[in-house]
Amino acid sequence: MIRIKISEDQLNEAKKLYNFGALKNSITKGQSNIFGAIGEIIVRDYFLNEKKANVIFESTKDYDMIINGKKVDIKTKKTTVIPKINYNCSVADFNTTQKTDAYIFVRVQEDFSEAY
């Protein structure tokens, strides 16, 4: 598990990224858009800065970005605890038709202090 401190700049960028209402089939009716956005920013920055990867931020209905030529969808959940190794990662039933090469699962502290 990778533990990342969320910066104020990342949080501000996330607030601007998806300034809209609920997506179709949104489990939280749009209340968690900010968590999804910060998850995408965290993953993008990690791969750009730590892995020196080629990242294209291209949000579609099937994937969120392309990392080294692979279409990747980011699935983010808010949390109040540090995730344990035995926690499950999941994709909602209605999302199983996404055309993506990989998923990256992120958990973000409810207070936006850290991501995992």
Side-chain angles (χ1 to χ4, degrees):
M1 176 178 63
I2 300 164
R3 191 173 186 168
I4 298 172
K5 296 273 187 206
I6 298 172
S7 74
E8 194 67 33
D9 287 343
Q10 288 171 318
L11 188 53
N12 287 334
E13 184 178 356
K15 288 176 182 175
K16 294 176 190 170
L17 188 60
Y18 295 120
N19 189 13
F20 54 76
L23 290 172
K24 182 180 178 191
N25 296 318
S26 173
I27 293 167
T28 64
K29 308 294 185 230
Q31 295 299 308
S32 293
N33 287 357
I34 185 66
F35 291 95
I38 195 68
E40 291 176 22
I41 299 296
I42 293 295
V43 169
R44 180 205 62 196
D45 289 354
Y46 174 77
F47 278 94
L48 283 174
N49 299 326
E50 300 296 323
K51 298 295 185 182
K52 307 295 185 225
N54 180 22
V55 179
I56 301 169
F57 207 40
E58 183 178 304
S59 188
T60 73
K61 70 177 183 63
D62 291 312
Y63 58 90
D64 297 313
M65 60 189 73
I66 301 172
I67 302 173
N68 289 340
K70 301 289 184 190
K71 296 173 185 168
V72 178
D73 196 55
I74 315 304
K75 298 295 182 190
T76 306
K77 291 184 179 183
K78 67 179 173 180
T79 188
T80 58
V81 298
I82 297 171
K84 296 185 189 233
I85 195 72
N86 64 333
Y87 279 18
N88 287 327
C89 297
S90 61
V91 176
D93 229 5
F94 58 82
N95 277 5
T96 58
T97 60
Q98 286 179 280
K99 293 172 182 70
T100 186
D101 297 314
Y103 291 99
I104 295 177
F105 297 93
V106 179
R107 291 198 183 232
V108 173
Q109 283 288 342
E110 200 171 50
D111 66 0
F112 300 103
S113 59
E114 290 184 325
Y116 314 93

